[in-house]
Amino acid sequence: MYFKSTKQKTNMSVFSYKQRNNINLVIIVALGLLIAYSLQDIFSAILSTLVLYTIMRPGYIYFAEVKGWNRRFVAISLIAISIILIILPFYALSTMVISKISELKNNEIFFKNLLVKLQHLIPVKINESVIQDGLNRLGNWATLLFPSLISSAVNIILSLLVMFFLLYFMLIERKRFEFSLIKYAPFREQNALRFGDEMRNTTYANVLGQGLICLVQGSLVSLSFFVLGYKDPIFWGVITTFISFVPVLGPPVVFVPAAILQIANGNNFAGWTMLIFGFVVIINIDNVLRFIIAKKVGNIHPIITVIGVIIGIPLFGILGLVFGPLLLSYFILLVKIYETSTLASERLERIKTNNEHNEL
């Protein structure tokens, strides 16, 4: 009898049921923060996985679930298409941009001739050392902005492996993955579904919509440079594509200086034609396409885009042009859902209180 009671006492916990749950929650949060800290180097890969999953999801549902094709085959095919259409061109263009920037930085004669021409065109005295220092800083910043396949090869390969590994299993286990998201989401099911819809629209508007606008503007700059006889039209078209993600900057940052240089060189037709075409067509095509996209999938406010880019570039480099506005949009969406849930809870609490008073 003594041993039995001793055994019962040793099995009794010193914590209550609520205390044990709270301790478990603290441990879960602590381990979650530790895991998140350990994964910080591949956070961009995880975010890229969510973006690609959102974009590929309709295609996977159509071929694997509606058409009945093999799930693994569809997932692998979609991943292969993403590599061909997104990954390889992006890093190829990044390498091209880095090499071109390095070439321009090392070409001192080009910059000296450029300053002489600008001095003749602009009556204001130009400080050569200040301009040279500014160009060097800009070149260093741009070189760090674009990922280098040589210096960052290990990190790039690791990020891509993680991204496609996660993406593969997220696709073939789509229903289980989405059910788990709804189950463990910290808000009601209807709000979880609403967040999923808004996240999809935000991703489409920012990645596909804004990406299409930037690609069109970059292509127009490249085409106009080629027709008017400007040097390196493909390179400057690529630069315009990236810069067009920032509403405050946009294509004028590229075509206005290029046109001024043409005028300084005596090519008045090429310079003035570029300025007119740029301000009449290239800039306004942004508004036309944005209006069409907004009717289909929604729109991202320019303030969110600018602040998102400022946040994203230090974190993700050139990918921050896309991921920064996305993260800020997701944050604002979560705040809206939290506000809606809070108002609904307060309304239910008031109804419950009123019913209790009526019963009394």
Side-chain angles (χ1 to χ4, degrees):
M1 192 72 179
Y2 170 78
F3 291 104
K4 184 177 180 181
S5 61
T6 304
K7 184 178 180 182
Q8 289 176 346
K9 288 183 179 179
T10 54
N11 287 335
M12 291 177 63
S13 174
V14 296
F15 301 106
S16 66
Y17 178 77
K18 185 176 182 180
Q19 288 174 333
R20 288 198 299 270
N21 282 342
N22 291 334
I23 293 173
N24 286 336
L25 180 61
V26 171
I27 295 174
I28 290 171
V29 172
L31 290 177
L33 292 175
L34 179 62
I35 293 172
Y37 177 78
S38 303
L39 296 177
Q40 61 179 334
D41 292 335
I42 59 172
F43 180 71
S44 60
I46 297 174
L47 188 58
S48 300
T49 305
L50 293 175
V51 172
L52 286 178
Y53 174 81
T54 304
I55 295 173
M56 294 180 179
R57 182 178 178 273
Y60 177 83
I61 292 176
Y62 177 77
F63 289 109
E65 299 177 13
V66 177
K67 291 291 186 179
W69 292 11
N70 184 274
R71 293 181 303 162
R72 299 178 185 277
F73 172 76
V74 173
I76 293 174
S77 299
L78 290 174
I79 290 174
I81 292 172
S82 70
I83 293 175
I84 296 172
L85 297 181
I86 302 175
I87 306 301
L88 294 181
F90 177 80
Y91 284 112
L93 294 176
S94 299
T95 305
M96 181 188 72
V97 170
I98 292 172
S99 62
K100 188 63 178 179
I101 291 173
S102 301
E103 177 186 338
L104 292 175
K105 281 175 58 181
N106 297 328
N107 194 347
E108 296 183 1
I109 298 177
F110 170 79
F111 286 115
K112 289 182 179 180
N113 293 334
L114 176 62
L115 292 175
V116 171
K117 293 175 182 177
L118 290 177
Q119 189 66 66
H120 287 294
L121 185 64
I122 304 173
V124 182
K125 176 66 176 177
I126 300 176
N127 191 323
E128 181 176 343
S129 61
V130 173
I131 297 296
Q132 187 67 42
D133 183 63
L135 291 172
N136 288 333
R137 290 177 180 272
L138 180 62
N140 292 332
W141 176 78
T143 304
L144 294 174
L145 186 64
F146 285 86
S148 172
L149 289 177
I150 299 176
S151 62
S152 305
V154 176
N155 291 334
I156 290 173
I157 293 174
L158 176 62
S159 297
L160 290 177
L161 288 176
V162 170
M163 181 177 70
F164 290 126
F165 177 80
L166 294 175
L167 182 61
Y168 173 78
F169 286 101
M170 286 167 62
L171 286 173
I172 64 174
E173 301 290 343
R174 183 191 71 84
K175 293 182 179 179
R176 183 183 300 178
F177 169 69
E178 295 181 3
F179 175 78
S180 299
L181 290 180
I182 295 174
K183 179 180 179 181
Y184 295 105
F187 27 71
R188 297 179 179 178
E189 181 177 350
Q190 59 182 9
N191 287 331
L193 295 175
R194 175 192 168 193
F195 177 76
D197 292 337
E198 293 292 337
M199 179 180 174
R200 179 195 60 200
N201 292 336
T202 300
T203 304
Y204 285 173
N206 216 324
V207 178
L208 298 181
Q210 187 64 28
L212 175 62
I213 293 173
C214 296
L215 184 61
V216 170
Q217 289 183 317
S219 299
L220 288 175
V221 168
S222 182
L223 180 62
S224 57
F225 274 28
F226 175 77
V227 172
L228 296 173
Y230 287 43
K231 291 183 178 180
D232 301 318
I234 296 178
F235 169 77
W236 291 113
V238 172
I239 294 295
T240 304
T241 300
F242 287 117
I243 293 178
S244 296
F245 274 96
V246 187
V248 176
L249 300 178
V253 174
V254 175
F255 71 74
V256 170
I260 293 175
L261 288 177
Q262 290 294 321
I263 296 173
N265 287 327
N267 300 325
N268 292 325
F269 175 78
W272 287 110
T273 302
M274 186 67 246
L275 287 175
I276 295 172
F277 182 76
F279 283 108
V280 173
V281 178
I282 296 177
I283 291 181
N284 289 320
I285 199 69
D286 181 325
N287 299 324
V288 175
L289 292 176
R290 197 177 298 277
F291 175 76
I292 297 173
I293 292 169
K295 292 177 63 177
K296 298 292 185 181
V297 294
N299 196 10
I300 302 297
H301 197 281
I303 293 179
I304 295 178
T305 303
V306 173
I307 298 177
V309 167
I310 295 173
I311 296 172
I313 286 180
L315 292 174
F316 307 110
I318 192 65
L319 293 177
L321 293 173
V322 177
F323 290 161
L326 272 181
L327 283 179
L328 188 57
S329 299
Y330 295 161
F331 173 75
I332 294 174
L333 178 57
L334 285 173
V335 170
K336 290 180 179 179
I337 291 177
Y338 174 78
E339 182 181 10
T340 302
S341 299
T342 303
L343 292 175
S345 299
E346 292 177 354
R347 189 161 50 247
L348 290 174
E349 188 66 28
R350 285 196 301 268
I351 293 173
K352 182 180 179 181
T353 304
N354 292 333
N355 291 335
E356 291 177 353
H357 283 302
N358 292 334
E359 291 177 358
L360 294 175

